[in-house]
Amino acid sequence: MSTDATRGSPGPAAPHDVAVIGGGPAGAAVARALALRGRDVVLLEATAFDTPRFGETLAPEANPLLRELGVLNALAAPGAHGFPGAVESPGTISAWGSSVPQETDFVGNRRGSGRHVDRNAFDALLCAAATDAGARVLTETRVLRCTRGADGNWRVDISTAPRTALCARFVIDASGRNGFRLDGDGGRIVDDALVGIFLRVGHHGAASGDVEGSSDLRTLVESAPDGWWYCAPLPSGETVAA
C-alpha cells in the first residue's frame, strides 16, 4: 500500500521551519495544517505503518474533522491512496453501570455514521494527506535525540542514512504520552497500574474482508467491576476486543 511518504535523506542542512515527531493522527494533522500555511515541515515516523496500532472506531463527530483533513471521501472509497476503505459503524451498544444495554443508533445523527478503520492504513492515509499539502513525510525514521543549540534551532538526531541529523526551528512532539523526550525534559509515565488486553479475533469460515456480512457492525462497550472493555469489527473481517 502506497503512503506517498518518502524514506531516505531528510534533505538539505538548512533548518526546516518545523519537525514533527510521530505519524499518528495528531502529527499528520498538524503537519498538514502547517504545510497548507506555507511552512517547511518534515514529519518523522518511526515505522512503515506495519506495527500494531490501537484505536479503530471513529464516532460520527469525527466526520467534520475528517472532511477538513481531506480524507473523508477516501474512507468511503476503497483504493484512494491505497486505503482499503472503512466499515460503517451504525451505532453503539453500551452497558455502563447497568446490566441493561443501551442502544444508540447513528441514523439520526446529523454528522452521519461512525466508521471502523484499520489504524495502520488510516494513519498512512492521513500522512498521505499531509504529503499532498506539501509536508515531507519520512517513514522508518526514528528520532534518537533532540537538542537545542545556542542559535535557538533544534538538532534532531535520526536513524536514517545517509544523514544522521536534521535541523528545525520548532519541534512538535506528537509521539504519544510515553513517546519521545525533548532535550531530556518532561517526565514520562514508565510504570502504569492499568493493564490492557487487546485481541484480534478471526471468524471460522468467514472470508477475509467479509465484514459487511457480520450480523452487527455496532461497537459494544461494557463496564466491569475492575475496568471496562469493548469490541468492534475491523475492515479485515476480524473483530477486535480490548
Side-chain angles (χ1 to χ4, degrees):
M1 178 180 65
S2 173
T3 65
D4 291 344
T6 304
R7 181 185 181 187
S9 170
H16 297 278
D17 290 330
V18 183
V20 180
I21 304 173
V30 72
R32 178 181 182 274
L34 290 170
L36 287 175
R37 286 160 176 78
R39 302 302 180 185
D40 174 13
V41 182
V42 57
L43 185 151
L44 309 170
E45 164 57 34
T47 75
F49 302 107
D50 53 358
T51 58
R53 296 186 180 218
F54 309 121
E56 56 291 312
T57 298
L58 300 170
E61 287 70 24
N63 289 333
L65 300 175
L66 297 171
R67 183 179 293 108
E68 184 177 346
L69 290 170
V71 300
L72 185 61
N73 290 337
L75 294 178
H81 288 295
F83 185 74
V87 176
E88 181 181 349
S89 173
T92 62
I93 306 174
S94 62
W96 201 263
S98 171
S99 60
V100 180
Q102 302 294 317
E103 300 184 7
T104 301
D105 294 321
F106 296 151
V107 65
N109 193 308
R110 63 187 179 90
R111 295 182 177 88
S113 296
R115 287 174 172 82
H116 304 297
V117 299
D118 176 283
R119 267 302 303 277
N120 272 314
F122 178 67
D123 289 3
L125 177 67
L126 292 175
C127 282
T131 300
D132 291 343
R136 181 96 186 258
V137 177
L138 304 179
T139 59
E140 298 181 86
T141 303
R142 184 173 298 279
V143 175
L144 306 176
R145 187 184 180 192
C146 284
T147 54
R148 198 165 195 173
D151 58 357
N153 292 328
W154 289 87
R155 174 188 168 93
V156 184
D157 295 318
I158 58 176
S159 62
T160 306
R163 288 275 304 285
T164 58
L166 57 84
C167 186
R169 296 184 175 90
F170 295 91
V171 172
I172 296 176
D173 178 7
S175 57
R177 67 170 186 161
N178 285 333
F180 198 75
R181 295 182 60 176
L182 294 180
D183 210 20
D185 295 327
R188 299 291 189 180
I189 297 175
V190 177
D191 297 316
D192 195 325
L194 300 178
V195 176
I197 300 175
F198 189 88
L199 304 173
R200 293 172 67 109
V201 182
H203 301 281
H204 180 68
S208 177
D210 184 23
V211 68
E212 297 294 348
S214 173
S215 59
D216 198 332
L217 299 178
R218 293 176 293 180
T219 301
L220 173 62
V221 183
E222 183 173 348
S223 62
D226 296 316
W228 61 282
W229 65 277
Y230 74 93
C231 68
L234 296 175
S236 62
E238 300 170 298
T239 296
V240 61

